[in-house]
Amino acid sequence: MDDYGKNRIELVGVIGAGTMGQGIIQVTATGGMTVLAYDEKPGAAKAAKEKIADFLDRAVEKERMTAADASAATDRILIIDNLEDLAKADIVVEAIVENLDIKKTLFARLESIVAKDAILASNTSSLPITGIAAACESPGRVAGLHFFNPVPLMKLVEVIPGLRTESRVVDTLMDVGVRMGREPVLCADSPGFLVNHLGRGYMPEALRVLSEGIATHADIDRIMTGAPGFRMGPVTLVDMVGADVASPVMDAIYEQYYHEPAYQPSQILSLRRQGGILGRKSGGGFYEYSEGRKIEPKPVSIPDARPLRVRIGNGEIEGANALNALVEAAGVEIQSGSSEDTLTVLPLLGTGLSTAIAREGLDPTRTVAVDTLFGLRGVRTLMITPATSDEARAQAHGLLGADDTPVAVINDSPGFVAQRLVAMIVNVACHMAQRGVASPEDIDKGSRLGLNYPEGPFELAKEIGSNRICQILESLESFYGEPRYRPASWLRRRVDLGLPLDSPDAGL
Ligand code: NAD
């Protein structure tokens, strides 16, 4: 290693003092480095410094930092009025408008100002780092340093080398990220980088489920925040992000991956974007809002009806024990054979209910399915078909909710709701690992810290079983006939070999 190292970086330039720049200035200063803050809009950098000082004052009041540390951090922020004042900066982080030509022009100009070994980093969300670096005489000094909003609260930072970025630049940025109090992950220069790419699983698949009328938006959210443990339901998330932001990101990643079917955007979201039905920010999206608060639709009440007899069918997953206990606790007789008034309940893994009924020659009017993959805690998912009788539906609903646990009644769908959303998250992560976007470890980290998922996709797959994830995807692929659901080669290969899903490819 040359003279770059942890102690080398003391002076950091930040260009653009808007939403992101302000946060980057703050974490750089609290990380002990001196910041040169510049914004082309007069007064913007000074205003950002004042807001940071207020923020740090509140942190002192809440006893999260000492008054001395707060004032020292604020003092380390120096406002500059000319780009030329960046001459001595060790690193410059750019957080200006998201426009490739403007960023390229800025980077080319910076090269004429800073030292020849200074690092130039971009906080771009969607532009290729290699493209920005192309404007520079020394593209090896350029990399992405992608923060998340709000920066002081979001611990993750993505370090993104372009195709020509030197390894010393990557090492330095990883160190600087840690000094800024962040958790850096390494990510290839690729559409959506790590977090926005990984996000192609949860929200888009929920929109697909919604667009097919499989479940209501509120039930999709209730299911995912139940036993699978997601902190925010995918549809609430869409409404929070807004159709104006979420829809273009979906379109961009799909386009940049040349119409990869797994990343197909949702038509129902683009329609909302065009109609200005954006979500919380426009007062209405999939949910209605009153004074900025989501109005939660009331769940359908649980009927009093119970079946006389239940047969728990040969499911594809060992959920029978939990179902047995639930049926017994409701005082309903369990049968091994079936008579006319028997309700057949199938614990399925991946297979749709109609497919299972046809395969096993069951009575379509009196056969339902229950998702047992995540256990029977939280909201229980009851699947019916167009052939289910009203009586059987009410009896099954009453039975599953006999202990007042909420029940989401959904239409036939291979993989219910939770199984297919989780399988898609894992599959997207496997596509990413196969393309070398990031390591399984960093994908898991990015998922927890950048997307706030309860666990990373590789951790989830370990708990559930990669073979089961593969089975769900194969059922979806076979039912829909769409390559969207094909298991990633990374996944299929490790299932075939009986290897853990996070085992790396052989080095060449
Ligand atoms: P913003 O509009 O809040 O701030 C941009 C700031 O840059 C403004 O203060 C503007 O005056 C200044 N600016 C614009 N052009 C300039 C130039 N040529 N020279 C100097 N200053 C200039 O935008 P933002 O949300 O902070 O986004 C900044 C960058 O960060 C973009 O590349 C964006 O894609 C990326 N980003 C944004 C988010 C987010 O959630 N907002 C998250 C991650 C990354």
Side-chain angles (χ1 to χ4, degrees):
M1 197 181 226
D2 55 20
D3 61 343
Y4 281 86
K6 287 181 194 163
N7 304 320
R8 167 76 168 76
I9 303 304
E10 288 312 327
L11 196 55
V12 178
V14 178
I15 306 183
T19 309
M20 297 305 288
Q22 180 185 317
I24 298 167
I25 294 167
Q26 178 174 325
V27 296
T28 309
T30 52
M33 291 162 277
T34 301
V35 193
L36 301 171
Y38 174 81
D39 196 294
E40 68 171 9
K41 195 166 130 210
K46 186 164 173 279
K49 181 175 176 176
E50 283 162 9
K51 283 194 211 142
I52 293 168
D54 287 348
F55 186 101
L56 297 182
D57 282 348
R58 285 199 301 280
V60 173
E61 279 164 25
K62 290 178 190 158
E63 299 184 0
R64 295 207 181 114
M65 83 193 290
T66 67
D69 284 349
S71 81
T74 311
D75 289 347
R76 278 195 289 271
I77 301 169
L78 311 176
I79 309 300
I80 57 170
D81 296 324
N82 298 298
L83 280 181
E84 282 66 25
D85 295 336
L86 291 168
K88 292 210 162 81
D90 302 309
I91 298 182
V92 178
V93 183
E94 163 280 310
I96 65 166
V97 59
E98 185 76 342
N99 176 302
L100 183 59
D101 287 336
I102 299 177
K103 287 195 199 279
K104 279 171 96 166
T105 307
L106 175 68
F107 273 62
R109 176 144 178 235
L110 285 172
E111 265 200 320
S112 69
I113 296 171
V114 298
K116 70 173 179 23
D117 54 358
I119 291 172
L120 303 180
S122 173
N123 182 49
T124 179
S125 319
S126 59
L127 301 171
I129 303 302
T130 309
I132 297 173
C136 293
E137 272 176 30
S138 311
R141 60 158 86 192
V142 178
L145 190 62
H146 184 222
F147 295 84
F148 294 84
N149 187 18
V151 179
L153 303 183
M154 296 290 287
K155 288 280 176 204
L156 192 73
V157 66
E158 295 173 347
V159 174
I160 308 142
L163 287 183
R164 300 176 74 182
T165 306
E166 294 158 18
S167 60
R168 56 117 186 156
V169 171
V170 175
D171 294 344
T172 306
L173 290 177
M174 297 293 278
D175 280 344
V176 165
V178 171
R179 284 178 70 192
M180 289 173 170
R182 311 293 91 192
E183 299 248 11
V185 284
L186 186 62
C187 166
D189 189 11
S190 53
F193 304 134
L194 194 163
V195 166
N196 282 340
H197 189 165
L198 188 57
R200 296 318 88 213
Y202 190 50
M203 212 161 69
E205 189 58 17
L207 290 169
R208 169 75 190 248
V209 165
L210 194 55
S211 71
E212 286 189 23
I214 289 166
T216 66
H217 63 278
D219 274 345
I220 293 173
D221 282 353
R222 286 186 194 116
I223 291 167
M224 297 313 294
T225 54
F230 286 77
R231 292 188 189 94
M232 187 179 280
V235 190
T236 300
L237 180 63
V238 176
D239 265 8
M240 198 189 80
V241 173
D244 55 332
V245 175
S247 173
V249 171
M250 276 190 193
D251 291 354
I253 294 179
Y254 181 61
E255 290 303 326
Q256 289 170 47
Y257 272 111
Y258 299 107
H259 295 197
E260 158 60 61
Y263 308 151
Q264 196 175 50
S266 162
Q267 165 271 334
I268 59 171
L269 194 62
S270 85
L271 187 65
R272 280 157 190 274
R273 167 175 45 153
Q274 292 168 55
I277 305 160
L278 306 180
R280 196 170 62 177
K281 64 182 87 166
S282 70
F286 290 100
Y287 288 91
E288 294 301 317
Y289 293 81
S290 165
E291 293 171 3
R293 289 179 80 92
K294 187 176 86 177
I295 301 168
E296 188 68 44
K298 276 210 173 97
V300 180
S301 46
I302 298 168
D304 291 329
R306 301 281 186 278
L308 278 177
R309 281 168 274 278
V310 163
R311 185 177 80 87
I312 297 172
N314 293 330
E316 301 164 322
I317 178 169
E318 56 282 10
N321 284 347
L323 271 176
N324 266 323
L326 188 142
V327 175
E328 272 171 13
V332 174
E333 184 191 332
I334 299 180
Q335 277 192 325
S336 49
S338 70
S339 48
E340 233 174 47
D341 53 7
T342 305
L343 178 78
T344 300
V345 181
L346 302 177
L348 296 175
L349 184 76
T351 309
L353 179 53
S354 314
T355 309
I357 287 170
R359 187 181 62 196
E360 294 175 37
L362 299 168
D363 176 358
T365 64
R366 299 199 55 80
T367 303
V368 297
V370 176
D371 189 357
T372 57
L373 181 62
F374 298 90
L376 290 171
R377 296 170 292 114
V379 175
R380 293 174 184 147
T381 308
L382 168 65
M383 187 151 74
I384 57 173
T385 73
T388 312
S389 73
D390 291 345
E391 185 191 52
R393 172 183 177 159
Q395 289 174 348
H397 190 170
L399 173 69
L400 277 186
D403 58 0
D404 290 332
T405 299
V407 178
V409 182
I410 68 162
N411 275 316
D412 193 5
S413 154
F416 300 87
V417 172
Q419 289 182 15
R420 68 190 273 177
L421 263 63
V422 167
M424 278 303 269
I425 291 170
V426 174
N427 208 34
V428 169
C430 290
H431 282 307
M432 290 172 68
Q434 192 64 68
R435 291 188 178 114
V437 172
S439 68
E441 191 188 351
D442 275 356
I443 293 173
D444 277 351
K445 199 193 239 189
S447 153
R448 277 184 268 103
L449 298 175
L451 295 168
N452 214 9
Y453 293 169
E455 284 172 293
F458 293 92
E459 293 161 336
L460 269 169
K462 197 170 190 179
E463 266 175 38
I464 295 169
S466 314
N467 53 340
R468 285 173 166 176
I469 299 284
C470 204
Q471 188 179 328
I472 296 165
L473 291 164
E474 280 167 350
S475 296
L476 281 157
E477 186 191 18
S478 127
F479 181 80
Y480 285 113
E482 287 179 48
R484 171 180 176 79
Y485 296 107
R486 74 197 187 282
S489 48
W490 179 281
L491 170 64
R492 199 187 285 276
R493 210 167 273 133
R494 280 152 186 79
V495 169
D496 285 347
L497 295 171
L499 285 174
L501 199 56
D502 58 0
S503 27
D505 267 347
L508 298 177

